[in-house]
Amino acid sequence: MFPDAPALPPALDLAGTAVFALTGALLAARLQQTFVTMAFFALVTGVGGGSVRDMLIGAPAFWLRDPWVALVIFVTALIAWFTPRRWWEGSLLEWADAAGMAAFAVLGAAKALAYGVDPFPAAVLGIITGCAGGVVRDVIAGVPSIIMRPELYVTAAALSASLTVVGTVAGLPDAAAWTTAWAAGFALRGAAIRWQIALPSYRERERRKKEEAEAER
């Protein structure tokens, strides 16, 4: 028997899946691929993170037990195929993606804890749930991965996942822990979108060390 895993409200869960699927479909559109490729990219992006998480914790893949997930992804691919790409690209999709990423990071960490995963690995699985679908999509497409973005993305997922674990371990009600964790991750990702906030790169760190050394001479 598998434990009862926590879940988002069905409408929100499917909405997040649709947003991720849309980003995959739009990448296929940008690459001028066929509808079959577009649908495949939508599927990989929509369920990739959750599938990896479920495989690692030994749970049945979530989308195989929910008849609506595959249908929503297919419909999303159809919508992307029959509408102009310019309708979807831009800040609106980025903000929607931020909301979905934070929600899935929360759900991933919460589900891992429900399956008996220790807190730190559970947080890692939350990050995987929020980001792995996009990573797989980009690798297959041969484009720079989402984890290579200069602005904060994985860090925002890590914040949501970590706060979920902390709140759960501290015994907070799920609603309070999840809402706080989601809001924090969404706010951090939103700030990165709005103000192009990024972590310093390795080269920048080396340059600062060199400048500090020269200043001390």
Side-chain angles (χ1 to χ4, degrees):
M1 290 292 295
F2 294 100
D4 292 331
L8 296 172
L12 292 179
D13 196 6
L14 291 174
T17 300
V19 168
F20 281 147
L22 183 59
T23 65
L26 291 177
L27 177 57
R30 188 182 303 127
L31 298 175
Q32 299 182 338
Q33 297 297 311
T34 67
F35 176 74
V36 172
T37 302
M38 179 177 285
F40 177 75
F41 272 40
L43 177 65
V44 167
T45 312
V47 305
S51 297
V52 173
R53 174 206 60 212
D54 290 345
M55 178 184 67
L56 291 174
I57 65 177
F62 74 100
W63 60 280
L64 297 179
R65 309 183 80 182
D66 185 342
W68 289 103
V69 173
L71 179 60
V72 165
I73 290 173
F74 182 73
V75 171
T76 301
L78 282 175
I79 292 172
W81 179 260
F82 286 109
T83 55
R85 183 159 55 92
R86 66 177 182 275
W87 286 11
W88 306 105
E89 294 192 321
S91 60
L92 178 61
L93 184 60
E94 280 197 292
W95 283 93
D97 178 77
M101 175 274 296
F104 278 31
V106 168
L107 179 59
K111 184 171 183 177
L113 289 172
Y115 273 72
V117 178
D118 288 335
F120 186 78
V124 173
L125 286 172
I127 299 170
I128 290 173
T129 307
C131 301
V135 172
V136 174
R137 172 202 65 205
D138 295 340
V139 169
I140 294 175
V143 301
S145 171
I146 196 171
I147 62 175
M148 303 300 289
R149 287 184 178 185
E151 76 273 13
L152 301 180
Y153 190 91
V154 177
T155 305
L159 178 61
S160 285
S162 299
L163 288 178
T164 300
V165 170
V166 170
T168 302
V169 172
L172 297 179
D174 286 343
W178 292 15
T179 301
T180 301
W182 174 85
F186 177 69
L188 181 58
R189 176 59 186 151
I193 294 171
R194 177 65 178 82
W195 293 293
Q196 298 295 302
I197 301 174
L199 295 174
S201 67
Y202 181 80
R203 182 175 298 178
E204 289 174 348
R205 187 186 68 172
E206 291 296 297
R207 184 172 63 247
R208 284 201 304 270
K209 286 183 177 180
K210 183 177 180 180
E211 290 173 351
E212 292 172 357
E214 290 177 350
E216 292 176 354
R217 291 176 182 173

